[in-house]
Amino acid sequence: MSMTNLRRRLHHGDVDGRKNEHVDISHIDSLNEPLLEKSSSDSGGSEVYDPKRQDLWDDDRKKEQLHWSFLFSNLIAQWAQWLANIIVSSGSLFGRLFPFSMDSQNSSPVYLSPLQEDRLNTLRSRLQIPFDGSRIEHQDALRQLWRLAYPNRDIPPLQSELWKEMGWQGTDPSTDFRGGGFISLENLIFFARNYPGSFQALLNKVQGQRADWEYPFAVAGINISFVLIQMLDLQSSVPSSKSGVRFVELLGRDENAFDHLYCVAFRLLDAQWLVKRASYMEFNEVLKSTRTQLERELVLEDVLEVKDLPSYTMLDK
């Protein structure tokens, strides 16, 4: 419908203090389409304007109708805004007393049981420990990893070309940890102890058709630890992402859920590496797709522990 020069001015006198309230409709040149369709009983002829009908529209009645329509609309708008503020306000008393689920990942409050909170705090304390090559216990952990990886070989010095065989980038493994922290070394040791079959297969790249330029095993492990920490929102006071919330549930059933999930992630990364026929320069892309797959699996309804993840079946002990 097109209109030319149609103007309506509404003065709300009773609201802002003025007493005169009226509707002014002027300068209506033409209407190209009917405002209302004619009923079937219409004869089709033009309707003659009757000045007497104007008496039916009493000025006071018009003002009263417009006034109450305006107030009612205003009331509805204010009520809707008030309700929306309650819903989106995470700190509101209503939100704390009556938590509910929403599509937004960050809207639902998470309540931890004492067991979950204790295990989450323990995991966070592990995250705070940086790798320090000068600490004896960290040096011993590196030697332990070598014994698990190569049980029939002598342990090399902490700075040696032999460490490159495990997938460290330099002769000194301590320079490769960076933001991974000591937990990433603990994850590698846990993988070697609990799933030696998969650990050895990935370390020695014995499965599938491999690229000429493969990903470095040890450094890949450090990257996986870092990605899991981000994905599970472990740096927040309380995880709020969907994956993080589900992980807290898994942690309540298994205090080693993070380490088991690490092993699943490493095995999944290698499987996707082979499927994509990737090479070293595509490592970040494969790591990203691995994270995406884990996020999908973690939110499955029937996943009650890490061993319920579909990708867990790929692990060999």
Side-chain angles (χ1 to χ4, degrees):
M1 177 193 309
S2 62
M3 294 185 178
T4 60
N5 221 4
L6 174 60
R7 295 181 299 171
R8 297 187 179 185
R9 295 197 302 271
L10 175 61
H11 302 287
H12 304 292
D14 293 337
V15 178
D16 59 13
R18 294 191 297 270
K19 294 182 179 181
N20 296 324
E21 180 177 358
H22 63 277
V23 176
D24 181 14
I25 304 177
S26 60
H27 302 292
I28 304 179
D29 295 333
S30 64
L31 295 176
N32 295 329
E33 296 177 8
L35 289 175
L36 295 174
E37 293 183 359
K38 296 181 179 179
S39 65
S40 58
S41 60
D42 268 344
S43 61
S46 301
E47 184 178 359
V48 179
Y49 173 73
D50 185 358
K52 295 181 180 180
R53 293 187 180 181
Q54 186 66 27
D55 296 338
L56 298 177
W57 293 94
D58 182 81
D59 288 341
D60 292 335
R61 185 178 180 184
K62 284 194 296 181
K63 287 190 289 186
E64 182 180 357
Q65 288 176 340
L66 291 171
H67 171 67
W68 286 110
S69 296
F70 172 79
L71 290 182
F72 185 74
S73 300
N74 227 4
L75 180 63
I76 292 296
Q78 292 177 7
W79 180 83
Q81 182 63 43
W82 172 77
L83 181 61
N85 289 338
I86 291 179
I87 292 176
V88 301
S89 176
S90 59
S92 67
L93 178 61
F94 182 87
R96 291 195 296 269
L97 294 178
F98 304 98
F100 50 88
S101 176
M102 296 179 66
D103 292 337
S104 174
Q105 289 186 351
N106 300 320
S107 59
S108 300
V110 178
Y111 301 108
L112 305 180
S113 69
L115 179 61
Q116 289 172 327
E117 187 172 4
D118 181 64
R119 289 179 175 177
L120 189 58
N121 288 335
T122 299
L123 178 57
R124 285 207 184 96
S125 67
R126 294 172 61 191
L127 303 181
Q128 302 304 316
I129 303 174
F131 182 86
D132 186 352
S134 65
R135 295 178 61 174
I136 300 299
E137 58 267 35
H138 291 194
Q139 295 175 7
D140 290 342
L142 272 175
R143 296 187 182 99
Q144 183 180 12
L145 178 62
W146 182 275
R147 283 194 297 267
L148 291 168
Y150 308 108
N152 299 320
R153 297 174 61 180
D154 294 334
I155 301 175
L158 294 178
Q159 294 187 22
S160 170
E161 290 287 337
L162 294 176
W163 287 101
K164 293 182 179 180
E165 297 182 22
M166 192 186 291
W168 303 100
Q169 292 180 323
T171 58
D172 184 1
S174 63
T175 62
D176 285 335
F177 283 93
R178 298 185 182 91
F182 184 64
I183 192 172
S184 56
L185 179 55
E186 291 180 318
N187 292 152
L188 283 167
I189 293 173
F190 183 92
F191 190 16
R193 279 180 172 173
N194 293 272
Y195 303 96
S198 290
F199 180 89
Q200 290 294 333
L202 272 58
L203 170 64
N204 298 297
K205 306 290 195 302
V206 298
Q207 295 177 341
Q209 184 177 354
R210 296 284 170 173
D212 294 333
W213 201 8
E214 278 288 307
Y215 66 86
F217 175 80
V219 174
I222 293 176
N223 278 271
I224 292 172
S225 298
F226 182 76
V227 166
L228 286 181
I229 293 170
Q230 288 185 318
M231 183 185 79
L232 301 177
D233 202 17
L234 296 179
Q235 303 287 9
S236 303
S237 57
V238 177
S240 57
S241 67
K242 291 181 180 179
S243 299
V245 172
R246 175 54 64 90
F247 173 73
V248 171
E249 297 175 7
L250 305 184
L251 195 60
R253 297 182 176 90
D254 178 12
E255 61 181 338
N256 296 316
F258 182 81
D259 301 273
H260 285 294
L261 186 60
Y262 170 88
C263 300
V264 173
F266 212 147
R267 185 66 184 85
L268 180 59
L269 177 137
D270 190 75
Q272 296 212 12
W273 180 273
L274 293 175
V275 169
K276 295 177 181 294
R277 297 186 177 183
S279 62
Y280 182 83
M281 298 303 295
E282 300 169 288
F283 177 79
N284 286 336
E285 179 184 341
V286 175
L287 189 61
K288 182 179 179 180
S289 63
T290 300
R291 170 175 176 166
T292 300
Q293 181 61 30
L294 280 177
E295 288 174 332
R296 291 171 179 168
E297 294 188 14
L298 277 172
V299 297
L300 295 175
E301 293 182 359
D302 56 346
V303 173
L304 302 179
E305 54 183 325
V306 175
K307 295 180 180 180
D308 294 330
L309 294 171
S311 295
Y312 181 84
T313 58
M314 295 188 296
L315 284 173
D316 297 322
K317 293 189 176 182

